[in-house]
Amino acid sequence: MAGVRAYIFFGLNVVRFLSIVSLILVFASSIFVIVTDVEAVNAFEAARQSGNVTAQDFADCEYIENSTVPNQIGGVFWAIINRLLIIFQVVILFLSEIGWPSPFFDRFFPVLGSGFGLGALGIFQGLIGAAVLSQHVDDFTLVSAFFLFVLGCINMFLGLLFRESAKSRRSITLWREGAKDVLPTNNPRPATNLSRSSSGQTCISSTVYDEKTRDVTEFGAMRNGSRAGYGFGRQGEKAAGLRGFLISKPLESRPRYAARPTSAPSRSSRSSSPEPESEPHFASSGSAI
């Protein structure tokens, strides 16, 4: 099993490394496309002002030449915003892949945090790759976007396969902690006996706890948190008597270290003892007062 775990760890980290490389390539290509679009727009405006481009030529073209900027109202603005949003998403996915800062993602972006798998990451990568591939771009940007789209599909498949345990399986910190427990430990009892004994102890303890809880509840100690139980005085005896419980006085017993009793007195000593006085009687009654 250690070999399978190692294969899964190294395989997931290889995909992780390729995903980081693809994000870096898309980040660089997005900056390159922004620079190219700005230069193309500036060249088009310069040609328009010089008279080399007529109004009819400007109306017929759908995109500015050698750029991804559409020839419409606010086309330059929305083209630049599109690239900036792609760069922002790529930065967020890059930080999610390196796992820093993990508490930030667990709180504000849970789908990219440690509690979720790789499915959401793959979906975001696929969306970014498809958005870039839907436009006419240069070869470098085309290859980078296609590479990111393929890695997104792989991450979606791994997310379906490993679900939420994918990130914990590829975690380097958890791998180092698990490597400390490689040496076998001495286990004198079989696992079945331990499980049976532990389950038996759990059942016994839960039964005793339930009985104690029921007894305490019957005597009113847990009915109201602001009022205590009846205690061991008259109120407790009265409540126990109403519920059919009898509180008996414990038998007196001597400790083990006490001296043994002496032999019973003889008859002579009994006869020598003074006899008790006779009880007074009255004429009108045959019993003593």
Side-chain angles (χ1 to χ4, degrees):
M1 296 302 292
V4 176
R5 179 172 176 266
Y7 290 145
I8 293 175
F9 172 77
F10 288 111
L12 291 177
N13 277 279
V14 167
V15 176
R16 183 184 191 180
F17 175 76
L18 295 176
S19 178
I20 292 174
V21 171
S22 65
L23 291 172
I24 294 175
L25 292 177
V26 172
F27 178 84
S29 64
S30 298
I31 296 177
F32 179 76
V33 169
I34 290 176
V35 174
T36 304
D37 290 345
V38 171
E39 291 178 352
V41 171
N42 291 335
F44 184 81
E45 291 295 332
R48 181 181 175 185
Q49 292 177 1
S50 64
N52 296 330
V53 179
T54 61
Q56 186 65 29
D57 295 336
F58 181 77
D60 291 340
C61 63
E62 297 179 354
Y63 283 86
I64 296 177
E65 188 178 1
N66 299 325
S67 70
T68 60
V69 179
N71 186 14
Q72 60 185 13
I73 299 175
V76 179
F77 173 77
W78 294 116
I80 299 300
I81 290 296
N82 179 33
R83 294 299 168 182
L84 292 177
L85 289 176
I86 289 176
I87 291 174
F88 175 75
Q89 295 173 29
V90 166
V91 170
I92 294 297
L93 296 180
F94 177 81
L95 295 177
S96 174
E97 280 291 82
I98 64 177
W100 182 87
S102 182
F104 174 79
F105 287 104
D106 291 337
R107 182 173 182 180
F108 296 102
F109 295 97
V111 293
L112 297 177
S114 58
F116 284 76
L118 300 175
L121 175 66
I123 291 174
F124 292 143
Q125 290 177 338
L127 290 176
I128 294 174
V132 177
L133 292 172
S134 63
Q135 300 175 355
H136 180 75
V137 291
D138 58 288
D139 295 338
F140 173 63
T141 307
L142 181 68
V143 173
S144 302
F146 185 78
F147 189 34
L148 181 65
F149 182 81
V150 172
L151 265 298
C153 295
I154 294 176
N155 282 324
M156 283 188 280
F157 174 75
L158 294 176
L160 293 174
L161 184 62
F162 296 104
R163 299 184 180 181
E164 70 277 0
S165 65
K167 291 186 177 180
S168 61
R169 288 174 180 267
R170 71 177 188 178
S171 176
I172 300 176
T173 305
L174 296 178
W175 172 264
R176 290 177 178 176
E177 293 179 356
K180 297 178 182 179
D181 301 331
V182 173
L183 295 178
T185 56
N186 186 14
N187 190 7
R189 288 186 176 183
T192 55
N193 295 336
L194 291 176
S195 60
R196 291 178 181 177
S197 60
S198 60
S199 61
Q201 292 178 359
T202 305
C203 295
I204 294 173
S205 60
S206 60
T207 306
V208 173
Y209 176 77
D210 294 339
E211 292 180 356
K212 289 184 178 180
T213 306
R214 184 184 61 187
D215 295 341
V216 173
T217 307
E218 289 180 354
F219 282 96
M222 294 178 64
R223 291 180 181 178
N224 191 359
S226 61
R227 191 184 72 177
Y230 293 104
F232 297 94
R234 284 183 167 273
Q235 295 293 334
E237 294 181 3
K238 184 178 179 181
L242 292 176
R243 287 168 176 78
F245 296 97
L246 298 178
I247 302 177
S248 60
K249 184 178 180 182
L251 299 176
E252 297 181 358
S253 61
R254 294 185 179 183
R256 296 180 178 180
Y257 54 83
R260 294 182 178 180
T262 57
S263 59
S266 59
R267 281 195 162 188
S268 60
S269 61
R270 290 182 181 178
S271 60
S272 61
S273 61
E275 295 180 359
E277 297 179 0
S278 60
E279 297 179 357
H281 292 358
F282 295 91
S284 61
S285 176
S287 61
I289 295 175

